[in-house]
Amino acid sequence: MNYYELIYLKNEFKTKLSNCVLDQAITPFKNLLELFMSNERESFRLIFSCSPGNTALFLDSYRPGKKSNKLLFFQELYGVPIVDISLVHQDRLLSLDFEGGQKILFKLFSNKANALRISNGKVVDAFKDHAEVGEEEPIPKEQNILSEIPSKSTAKKMLLKSNPILPRSELDELIRTNNLENKTPEEIFQFVKTITEQLESAPEFRKLPDGLVSSIGETFFPLPTIEKFDTVNELISYRFKNYSHVQRLSQQKGKYRKTISRQLKRLDSVLKNLSKADKGIEKAEVYEKYGHLLMANAHIKPEKSKSILIEDLYNEGKEIEIKIDVELTLAENAEYYYDRASSSLKSYEKASTQIPKIKERKLRLEKMNDELQHIGELRNLGDWEKKYRKEIENIGIGKSKKEESNLPFHSLEINGYQVWIGKNAKSNDKLVQFSHKEDIWMHARGVPGSHLIIRMANNKGMPPKEIIEKAAAFAAYNSKAKGANLVPVIVTKRKYVRKPKGASPGAVLVQREEVELVKPESPKI
């Protein structure tokens, strides 16, 4: 619970509990205290929870207390009228003030929350035994709220420096949804000032996605409102009763969010690399031009130089300098440029077909993420899982450590790409068997070692260069050549790898391959 909720809870209690008498205070469960109160017209049941992580104080629907096997508290105040409800300024200390000067003080802190009977400024009774009878009544902390602009630090530290009594359970989401990590201290100070004014004068009691609750409106906390509560008491009651459900939902959604976020980041990286292929058509034209010019001058025997200066037939009256390989004839150099032109054009054509597919996949993941954000019930999460079952399987979302440990090979990630590494010869066979034809297969060339797979989720393209190099370094390390300075590693699509009939465990044939020369690196499995 936070101080701003208590401001409005105090007012609700004043309206309902003033002039009531305490009938009974019992504990039906560990860390839970029920106080039964009544006046001439109606009866009330006040619930106080001091469970770690789920501290709460609220009025619940009335039902009589137990008549037997009950532990009674604060009996000296039974039948005594409540004359006021008090809240210590800027602190989470709320009290029921009784006629005669005694009070029941609720310490609503997340750790060591308690209910204390106070008389003459001293503790005379306590619900939990971590308060000593005879000790002084708790002294409120002095808080410096909006006294100065914070010095440059993390967003969370700057928020709490500006206002130490902000609702701490909401800070991480506030930072994320308002992009506060990129704000200046002055901007954060102004943000806190606005939030504080809203909490003090115009709170909005609402249920958010994930089953969380907040008193901050959508203007400053842009998470959608799933439901509105009429009073802060309803908000606190809902949060207390749904605590375990919300915790489970948050954990389940968290594992999905993390993996989807990594996948989206990976797709952005792939799209960025593919977008550079647009220049391929320009390069193709240049290389083809070089090829034509060199072929037109194929009769010339060039000097032993790394370039040749010849007439540019496409730009009359000017000459052009073209780099050449001194070991080749001009005709052979022309063939080299024709090959480069063809390769650049193929890269462009490949990117042209891949980009729409990757963009479509990215939109699908963004839709998944958006729908996940709005889920507030575990049953709705189950529906979401069924709807996106195929995508969840493709990117391996939510696999537990136990499930991973049961795999017949090692599993890890490189910047969002799932990577499998064989444990032994039989494991290598399983790895090839379980992988998809569009996955990337690697193996140190010419030496025994582990097979390695980069999972591509049916993507016909290749990962970014840095991913290939990192994975190849892992494959080199998991081979007999791990002690070498540089190791050649075969890289190909898994569809070009096959297991010959009757071959020994781990033995395969590779039909098409490229080679990366890398320094071995431990994957720290």
Side-chain angles (χ1 to χ4, degrees):
M1 293 184 68
N2 64 73
Y3 173 74
Y4 296 103
E5 292 173 351
L6 293 178
I7 293 175
Y8 294 90
L9 189 68
K10 181 197 76 170
N11 295 335
E12 286 189 51
F13 284 5
K14 262 182 177 284
T15 302
K16 295 181 177 180
L17 301 182
S18 293
N19 299 317
C20 285
V21 297
L22 179 63
D23 298 321
Q24 191 180 55
I26 64 172
T27 177
F29 309 108
K30 181 182 179 182
N31 294 328
L32 192 72
L33 180 67
E34 293 185 342
L35 292 90
F36 296 86
M37 290 163 279
S38 62
N39 55 32
E40 294 177 353
R41 301 181 305 280
E42 56 188 325
S43 299
F44 300 95
R45 182 166 66 107
L46 181 65
I47 304 294
F48 169 63
S49 165
C50 57
S51 296
N54 196 20
T55 304
L57 182 68
F58 62 97
L59 289 170
D60 202 8
S61 56
Y62 183 83
R63 65 168 183 261
K66 293 181 179 180
K67 294 183 179 179
S68 60
N69 298 323
K70 57 183 179 289
L71 187 59
L72 301 176
F73 290 87
F74 312 139
Q75 291 172 269
E76 292 78 2
L77 294 175
Y78 289 4
V80 181
I82 297 171
V83 295
D84 198 10
I85 312 294
S86 303
L87 175 64
V88 172
H89 182 58
Q90 296 181 352
D91 211 342
R92 289 170 292 173
L93 296 167
L94 185 144
S95 63
L96 307 180
D97 301 335
F98 290 83
E99 189 177 89
Q102 293 196 61
K103 60 185 175 183
I104 296 176
L105 178 69
F106 296 98
K107 290 178 62 178
L108 296 157
F109 309 139
S110 57
N111 59 333
K112 293 192 176 180
N114 209 344
L116 312 172
R117 181 165 67 92
I118 307 292
S119 180
N120 296 320
K122 294 188 180 295
V123 176
V124 292
D125 198 1
F127 173 51
K128 303 299 289 184
D129 59 10
H130 48 70
E132 295 289 335
V133 172
E135 68 182 43
E136 297 291 330
E137 179 179 348
I139 300 173
K141 294 180 180 179
E142 289 188 14
Q143 307 284 4
N144 293 318
I145 296 177
L146 300 171
S147 59
E148 60 178 328
I149 295 174
S151 55
K152 182 68 176 175
S153 185
T154 63
K156 182 176 283 190
K157 286 182 179 178
M158 288 191 283
L159 286 171
L160 293 173
K161 181 68 176 177
S162 301
N163 183 351
I165 60 175
L166 283 175
R168 298 201 174 207
S169 62
E170 299 167 43
L171 292 185
D172 289 338
E173 279 296 319
L174 271 175
I175 291 167
R176 184 184 68 81
T177 54
N178 290 279
N179 194 27
L180 297 183
E181 287 291 5
N182 296 317
K183 303 293 185 184
T184 65
E186 292 77 11
E187 289 172 325
I188 285 184
F189 182 81
Q190 188 57 46
F191 177 82
V192 172
K193 184 178 179 182
T194 307
I195 289 282
T196 302
E197 289 171 355
Q198 194 250 311
L199 284 169
E200 290 178 340
S201 59
E204 297 180 23
F205 308 126
R206 58 198 189 103
K207 176 183 171 183
L208 310 176
D210 288 8
L212 302 174
V213 296
S214 178
S215 302
I216 304 173
E218 285 189 34
T219 304
F220 311 110
F221 196 4
L223 288 179
T225 301
I226 306 300
E227 178 184 345
K228 284 193 173 182
F229 301 103
D230 293 330
T231 66
V232 72
N233 191 84
E234 290 179 12
L235 178 149
I236 296 167
S237 174
Y238 171 85
R239 182 174 57 207
F240 170 74
K241 294 175 181 178
N242 289 273
Y243 175 75
S244 59
H245 174 276
V246 169
Q247 290 295 102
R248 292 198 306 275
L249 179 64
S250 179
Q251 289 170 358
Q252 291 289 323
K253 288 178 67 174
K255 69 181 181 182
Y256 289 128
R257 263 200 217 100
K258 186 176 180 181
T259 305
I260 292 174
S261 176
R262 285 198 302 263
Q263 290 293 324
L264 287 171
K265 185 177 179 181
R266 178 172 75 84
L267 291 178
D268 282 334
S269 175
V270 171
L271 285 171
K272 184 178 179 181
N273 288 330
L274 288 176
S275 67
K276 296 175 184 177
D278 288 344
K279 298 178 181 178
I281 197 162
E282 297 175 13
K283 290 181 179 179
E285 291 173 354
V286 172
Y287 295 146
E288 188 174 33
K289 173 184 173 180
Y290 289 173
H292 291 337
L293 291 174
L294 289 172
M295 192 60 75
N297 291 276
H299 60 282
I300 298 175
K301 187 174 182 180
E303 298 178 5
K304 292 291 183 178
S305 174
K306 292 184 179 180
S307 63
I308 185 171
L309 193 64
I310 56 178
E311 182 184 355
D312 187 351
L313 301 176
Y314 297 87
N315 196 356
E316 190 175 349
K318 294 189 177 181
E319 292 184 317
I320 186 170
E321 185 178 7
I322 302 175
K323 291 182 179 180
I324 59 174
D325 187 335
V326 297
E327 301 298 325
L328 304 177
T329 66
L330 288 188
E332 289 171 333
N333 274 287
E335 288 297 329
Y336 165 75
Y337 278 112
Y338 287 143
D339 287 343
R340 291 196 67 179
S342 176
S343 177
S344 295
L345 194 58
K346 285 179 181 177
S347 294
Y348 169 75
E349 291 170 349
K350 187 177 181 181
S352 298
T353 58
Q354 283 185 315
I355 287 174
K357 294 177 182 178
I358 293 173
K359 284 184 175 178
E360 183 181 349
R361 185 155 179 265
K362 184 185 174 189
L363 286 173
R364 181 79 168 168
L365 282 173
E366 287 173 338
K367 185 181 178 185
M368 284 176 67
N369 207 30
D370 183 62
E371 290 183 15
L372 182 67
Q373 183 71 31
H374 288 76
I375 292 172
E377 302 288 343
L378 278 170
R379 63 175 180 273
N380 294 335
L381 181 63
D383 294 337
W384 178 89
E385 290 171 327
K386 290 178 183 177
K387 180 178 179 180
Y388 292 107
R389 179 179 57 81
K390 187 174 180 180
E391 284 83 356
I392 288 172
E393 289 176 354
N394 280 341
I395 57 179
I397 295 178
K399 284 190 176 180
S400 69
K401 289 184 178 180
K402 184 176 180 180
E403 288 173 321
E404 292 286 1
S405 65
N406 289 334
L407 289 173
F409 34 76
H410 299 295
S411 178
L412 52 94
E413 281 192 4
I414 304 176
N415 291 349
Y417 284 84
Q418 188 179 17
V419 173
W420 293 345
I421 303 176
K423 297 178 180 179
N424 49 48
K426 289 184 178 179
S427 173
N428 285 339
D429 281 348
K430 290 291 185 183
L431 182 142
V432 173
Q433 178 186 340
F434 289 178
S435 55
H436 187 273
K437 67 178 182 178
E438 296 298 341
D439 290 345
I440 308 302
W441 181 91
M442 295 187 184
H443 192 286
R445 190 171 192 177
V447 293
S450 297
H451 294 206
L452 180 144
I453 287 286
I454 302 176
R455 300 283 283 156
M456 295 299 292
N458 201 23
N459 182 350
K460 294 183 179 179
M462 297 291 285
K465 183 71 170 176
E466 61 270 20
I467 302 296
I468 292 176
E469 290 176 347
K470 176 69 75 171
F474 291 170
Y477 184 85
N478 283 275
S479 75
K480 292 292 185 181
K482 63 185 289 186
N485 187 40
L486 290 173
V487 177
V489 174
I490 299 170
V491 179
T492 189
K493 283 282 188 175
R494 214 282 287 147
K495 60 187 174 184
Y496 301 125
V497 178
R498 66 183 182 87
K499 176 82 174 175
K501 188 175 181 180
S504 59
V508 294
L509 289 178
V510 182
Q511 295 173 309
R512 192 181 300 180
E513 68 179 60
E514 293 182 4
V515 174
E516 288 287 335
L517 201 60
V518 294
K519 183 177 181 179
E521 180 182 338
S522 170
K524 298 178 181 178
I525 298 170

